[in-house]
Amino acid sequence: AQSRTLDIYWIDVEGGASTLFVTPSGESLLFDTGWNERDAKRIHAAAQHAGLKKIDALVLSHYHADHAGGLNALTKLIPIDRYYGRNDEIEPVNQQWLDSFKTASAGKRSIVKAGDSVPLKGVQVTVVAADGKLLAKTLPGGGPNALCADAAHMPPAGPENQNMVGLMLTYGKFKFLAPIDLDWEKEMEFACPTNRLGKITLYQAGRHGSFDGAGAPAFLGAISPQVVVVNNGPRKGLGQVDAKAVFRGPDGGRMAPFER
C-alpha cells in the first residue's frame, strides 16, 4: 500500500497543452508550458496546489507557441531542475521557441530520442516518439492489428508536429499515453501492421482532440483507452467542424459516433 498517489494535473491553457505529474515520492514532471505568461501563472498555481517548491523535470514536446510559449515566464516563477526535448532542427517560423528553450535550459538540457527514458522516481517515463522516429520495439500487450486491413491514410502534417516528443508513463498496471500533436500518419506507424503500444489506460488525445489531422481509427481501436482526456477549447479552433466520425471497435463492431 502506498501512502501517496500518482497525481496528474491538466492545466487549463485554453487549447495549448500543459500537464503536471507528481509521483508518490513527490517528484514532478511537467509536460509543456502553454501559450504565455497567463498560462505560466496557471501552471505555477497548480504546482503550488501540489505542494511543489520546484519542478524536477520539464519535457517540451515541440517548438510551437501553444506548447512552448509559457516557458520564459514560468522560469521566473518556479525553479526547474532538468529539461528534456528534441533536437535543434527547426522551421524559421518557430525559431524563437527553440531559442527560448535553449536559453532556459542552458547547462541542464538533454536531447531525447525514441526509446529513451526520462528519470522520474517510482514511474517509468518512456519517450515513444522524437525527431520523426517512433519506438521501435513492441511493448507488452501489443501485437498484430486487424484494424489495419482497410485503414484510411492521410498525408503527413508539418515537420514540427511529426518531429515532436511523445511520452508514455507506466505506474504498475496503469499506462498513460500523451502523443501531443503527432499526426495521423505517425499514429498509423504506431498501429499498423503491428500495435507497438498495447492497450492504454488513459489517453491524452492527440492534436487537441482534432479528428481531421489525427485520431486514426486503426490507432484508437488498437490502444483502446479506458479514459480519454481532450484538451480542446472553443478558442483553439480544432475539432469545430460540424461532422461525425464513426469508429469501429477491436472486433470490427460499430462504436457510437462522436460529434466534432
Side-chain angles (χ1 to χ4, degrees), residues 20-225:
L20 176 66
F21 304 87
V22 183
T23 73
S25 66
E27 285 200 345
S28 56
L29 183 150
L30 179 68
F31 198 15
D32 287 345
T33 65
W35 291 84
N36 50 28
E37 182 178 2
R38 175 207 64 192
D39 294 345
K41 291 178 179 178
R42 293 179 176 186
I43 295 166
H44 183 230
Q48 288 182 307
H49 180 80
L52 301 178
K53 302 298 183 185
K54 65 173 184 174
I55 292 170
D56 294 295
L58 167 68
V59 179
L60 192 69
S61 66
H62 62 303
Y63 309 122
H64 275 164
D66 55 335
H67 297 261
L71 177 58
N72 183 56
L74 183 64
T75 60
K76 297 176 173 61
L77 297 173
I78 188 168
I80 301 172
D81 280 354
R82 308 187 307 274
Y83 293 76
Y84 301 87
R86 68 175 198 81
N87 68 21
D88 292 352
E89 181 183 348
I90 197 70
E91 299 168 287
V93 69
N94 296 309
Q95 184 69 50
Q96 63 175 312
W97 307 118
L98 170 59
D99 291 344
S100 173
F101 182 64
K102 291 173 70 173
T103 298
S105 65
K108 299 186 286 185
R109 177 189 180 198
S110 297
I111 295 175
V112 296
K113 61 183 183 299
D116 284 352
S117 295
V118 176
L120 196 67
K121 191 179 296 183
V123 178
Q124 175 67 36
V125 182
T126 302
V127 177
V128 296
D131 293 318
K133 294 183 170 54
L134 305 183
L135 186 73
K137 66 179 182 180
T138 298
L139 297 178
N145 182 3
L147 299 174
C148 296
D150 58 354
H153 291 263
M154 284 192 177
E160 197 58 31
N161 286 340
Q162 286 224 321
N163 288 334
M164 51 140 296
V165 175
L167 293 183
M168 177 183 287
L169 281 80
T170 304
Y171 178 58
K173 295 181 179 180
F174 173 82
K175 293 170 66 175
F176 172 94
L177 179 65
I180 306 298
D181 282 356
L182 277 181
D183 65 356
W184 186 294
E185 182 186 59
K186 290 299 181 185
E187 291 176 345
M188 291 295 289
E189 285 186 40
F190 268 134
C192 293
T194 298
N195 169 19
R196 304 184 202 179
L197 301 176
K199 294 188 183 300
I200 301 301
T201 314
L202 197 159
Y203 173 56
Q204 182 169 315
R207 290 185 59 76
H208 310 272
S210 168
F211 284 94
D212 49 6
F219 170 72
L220 296 177
I223 65 172
S224 299

